[in-house]
Amino acid sequence: AGVSVLVQTNLVLLEGMFMGSGPVAGVLLFICVGMLLVMIPTASILPFMPLAVAIWGWQLTALFTLIAWVLGGQILFEVARSFGRPIVIKMISPQRLKTFERVVQGRGIAHAILVRMVVHGDMISYAFGLFTTISRLEFLVVSAIGTAPAVAGHDDHQLGHGVELFH
């Protein structure tokens, strides 16, 4: 809710940031914001979607969102892989961590893709980094394939809801 209010109260500023900084810089800014929001458990990029669709159209917005979600998840995977349980336990209760461990352990790439399709967000990326032997590249591919349906699930009508505010 906080991100949504922030976006709605600063539409002109955000539109200027995404459009005024040049086409490449605006895209990179959107992707970086999306990556950051993936790493915050209660945050979402969805409040930015109508503005992004107004600027880039729904197809490019979906692509940029997918890139942000995959890269953000990869960073969390790397944090878990590099720093291990002591850092992750600060963000996830031991009970939830045990549940995630059971979900991700030892069932192969197809299972990992299915899990990524069903369970979104930061916690599952931490779990894959902690409890699997999946390689970094494999996790990147699993994330891209597994999160694509969620992005595709936001069709042009859903992504573009409210775009008329910017025209």
Side-chain angles (χ1 to χ4, degrees):
V3 172
S4 183
V5 170
L6 183 65
V7 169
Q8 293 301 316
T9 58
N10 294 289
L11 290 174
V12 173
L13 174 68
L14 290 169
E15 186 175 18
M17 286 173 59
F18 288 132
M19 293 177 70
S21 55
V24 173
V27 168
L28 293 176
L29 177 62
F30 179 78
I31 290 171
C32 287
V33 166
M35 289 169 49
L36 177 65
L37 292 173
V38 165
M39 294 184 264
I40 301 171
T42 59
S44 173
I45 196 170
L46 294 178
F48 290 91
M49 295 282 199
L51 176 60
V53 169
I55 296 169
W56 299 300
W58 74 267
Q59 296 94 339
L60 286 177
T61 298
L63 175 64
F64 302 151
T65 301
L66 177 63
I67 292 168
W69 285 355
V70 169
L71 294 179
Q74 189 72 29
I75 290 169
L76 298 175
F77 173 88
E78 298 294 339
V79 165
R81 187 64 51 97
S82 298
F83 300 105
R85 189 179 292 268
I87 197 89
V88 175
I89 203 76
K90 292 178 182 183
M91 295 169 252
I92 305 173
S93 72
Q95 298 83 6
R96 286 191 73 199
L97 197 56
K98 284 228 178 273
T99 300
F100 282 115
E101 182 177 8
R102 283 191 304 273
V103 168
V104 301
Q105 272 193 334
R107 295 188 183 108
I109 296 297
H111 176 77
I113 291 170
L114 180 62
V115 167
R116 200 72 173 111
M117 287 175 148
V118 174
V119 184
H120 300 287
D122 53 344
M123 303 304 165
I124 203 68
S125 297
Y126 286 128
F128 274 108
L130 271 181
F131 302 121
T132 68
T133 58
I134 191 171
S135 74
R136 290 170 166 89
L137 180 58
E138 287 171 328
F139 183 73
L140 187 70
V141 171
V142 162
S143 288
I145 295 169
T147 56
V151 173
H154 297 286
D155 64 19
D156 61 289
H157 173 70
Q158 290 169 314
L159 287 175
H161 184 69
V163 169
E164 62 276 0
L165 296 173
F166 306 107
H167 290 221

